[in-house]
């Protein structure tokens, strides 16, 4: 979390800033910008697209808000459900990700002083009904193999279910850390450093098919091909909108668009459409099929790339 005194710039829409959000179900085809209208959401620090409720995005505040996660309808910007995690007293929540098991993973991983010996991840099911609820959560204790790290980016791979964290450094020289194959709720889960990530990272996300990883900072983002469990940077970088304090990013359900979020009251979530090599493999394959006059495999039920 950057200082509140930072000189900020207002969000600049890369798409029609005054457009209304698309109806649920059409969100994949025409995502639009929207504001987080809930006055409780002042420090939105993570973003994840719901699979069960198209057009809905999960978000949360960082430190100071308690164990709350909000479901926001992109059609209106209004909160349609608030989840409270029973028995959880978070320290600095910075990220949320949706796993292939249908569970949401909340990363209590912020550590501005890089002095905490351990941080935590909380797992809880994405609800089938959107309503306020208090839920039990499984807590995982996390340590890094090379000592404490500040981090704001938690990503769960949509195929393997493995968790990854990107550390944050002002120099831009952070790193990607990999969880054990299976997280254990007992004992300590040691995350191992597996790759350099040279972004002052504030969030990251895997594409729905698992073939792309995007990591954003305040003013830049980088994209990676995901091959054999490791990132390979793509030369072309995704565009990033100018935002008051850019803290979050997620893919839309079809993988064709990045949704960028920011801190601040009534902060704006802004879509940026992907193209070329930035597109996940499933989305790119759909484009090629459409160009040939063939049905889009997403509509025909084709499986995603692994």
């Amino acid at each position: 979390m950057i200082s509140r005194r930072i000189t900020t710039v207002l969000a600049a829409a890369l798409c029609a800033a005054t457009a209304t959000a698309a109806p649920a179900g059409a969100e994949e085809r025409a995502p639009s910008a929207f504001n987080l209208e809930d006055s409780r959401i002042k420090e939105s620090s993570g973003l994840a697209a719901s699979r069960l409720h198209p057009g809905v995005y999960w978000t949360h505040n960082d430190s100071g808000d308690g164990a709350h996660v909000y479901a926001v309808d992109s059609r209106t910007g209004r909160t349609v459900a608030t989840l409270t995690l029973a028995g959880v007293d978070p320290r600095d929540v910075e990220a949320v990700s949706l796993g292939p098991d249908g569970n949401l993973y909340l990363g209590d991983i912020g550590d501005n002083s890089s002095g905490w010996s351990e941080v935590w991840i909380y797992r809880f099911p994405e609800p089938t009904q959107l309503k306020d609820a208090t839920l039990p959560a499984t807590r995982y204790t996390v340590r890094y193999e090379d000592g404490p790290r500040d981090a704001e980016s938690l990503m769960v791979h949509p195929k393997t279910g493995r968790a990854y964290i990107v550390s944050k450094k002002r120099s831009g020289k952070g790193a990607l850390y990999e969880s054990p194959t299976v997280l254990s709720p007992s004992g300590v889960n040691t995350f191992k450093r597996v790759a350099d990530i040279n972004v002052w990272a504030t969030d990251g996300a895997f594409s729905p098919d698992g073939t792309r990883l995007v990591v954003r900072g305040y003013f830049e983002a980088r994209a990676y091909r995901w091959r054999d469990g490791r990132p390979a940077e793509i030369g072309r970088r995704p565009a990033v909108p100018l935002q008051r304090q850019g803290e979050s990013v997620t893919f839309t359900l079809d993988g064709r668009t990045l949704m960028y979020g920011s801190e601040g009251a009534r902060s704006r979530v802004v879509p940026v459409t992907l193209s070329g090599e930035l597109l996940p493999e499933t989305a790119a394959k759909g484009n090629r099929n459409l160009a040939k006059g063939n049905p889009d495999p997403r509509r025909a039920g084709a499986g995603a790339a692994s």
Side-chain angles (χ1 to χ4, degrees):
M1 178 178 65
I2 196 169
S3 170
R4 302 296 190 278
R5 300 187 184 91
I6 187 172
T7 301
T8 60
V9 289
L10 296 176
L14 294 184
C15 63
T18 59
T20 56
E27 177 269 339
E28 293 178 35
R29 296 185 293 276
S32 298
F34 63 95
N35 292 337
L36 301 175
E37 300 290 352
D38 193 329
S39 62
R40 297 172 297 175
I41 306 174
K42 297 178 180 179
E43 297 182 353
S44 174
S45 192
L47 203 62
S50 170
R51 284 198 207 107
L52 295 179
H53 312 285
V56 168
Y57 291 84
W58 295 101
T59 190
H60 56 84
N61 290 308
D62 62 13
S63 58
D65 185 42
H68 306 302
V69 183
Y70 305 93
V72 179
D73 188 343
S74 64
R75 295 172 296 179
T76 63
R78 295 177 181 174
T79 297
V80 291
T82 301
L83 305 182
T84 302
L85 305 186
V88 172
D89 183 18
R91 187 166 52 200
D92 190 357
V93 175
E94 292 287 357
V96 63
S97 185
L98 186 59
D101 55 1
N103 286 304
L104 287 160
Y105 291 75
L106 192 65
D108 191 359
I109 56 177
D111 184 3
N112 290 333
S113 63
S114 296
W116 299 113
S117 61
E118 59 188 37
V119 292
W120 303 285
I121 296 172
Y122 310 107
R123 186 193 71 182
F124 53 99
E126 181 179 23
T128 56
Q129 293 184 330
L130 291 174
K131 61 181 181 180
D132 293 354
T134 298
L135 302 176
T138 300
R139 187 177 85 163
Y140 301 105
T141 299
V142 172
R143 291 180 185 170
Y144 304 97
E145 66 172 355
D146 49 1
R149 293 289 182 270
D150 187 23
E152 298 186 6
S153 311
L154 168 69
M155 303 81 62
V156 178
H157 194 272
K159 298 300 177 184
T160 67
R162 201 161 196 167
Y164 296 84
I165 292 174
V166 177
S167 64
K168 178 185 181 185
K169 287 191 176 181
R170 292 176 184 270
S171 65
K173 295 180 180 179
L176 179 71
Y177 290 83
E178 177 184 72
S179 76
T181 304
V182 178
L183 289 171
S184 172
S186 60
V188 173
N189 296 275
T190 300
F191 277 53
K192 297 182 178 180
R193 182 176 180 139
V194 295
D196 293 334
I197 298 288
N198 293 323
V199 181
W200 190 7
T202 60
D203 201 12
F206 282 111
S207 61
D209 68 358
T211 66
R212 294 292 183 272
L213 169 66
V214 167
V215 179
R216 77 159 298 175
Y218 295 113
F219 306 110
E220 67 169 331
R222 300 194 186 188
Y224 304 83
R225 292 182 179 86
W226 193 255
R227 293 175 173 169
D228 300 321
R230 296 293 180 266
E233 187 170 353
I234 297 171
R236 180 185 169 196
R237 297 183 183 179
V240 178
L242 293 175
Q243 293 179 302
R244 178 176 177 178
Q245 188 175 320
E247 290 275 353
S248 58
V249 67
T250 192
F251 282 82
T252 52
L253 292 182
D254 62 3
R256 296 172 180 269
T257 305
L258 292 174
M259 303 296 287
Y260 289 98
S262 173
E263 285 196 2
R266 293 192 75 247
S267 60
R268 196 157 182 80
V269 178
V270 180
V272 172
T273 302
L274 299 173
S275 63
E277 60 187 339
L278 295 176
L279 277 170
E281 291 176 10
T282 299
K285 183 178 180 180
N287 282 356
R288 290 193 295 270
N289 278 306
L290 287 173
K292 295 176 182 178
N294 297 325
D296 188 336
R298 294 173 301 148
R299 311 304 179 203
S306 59

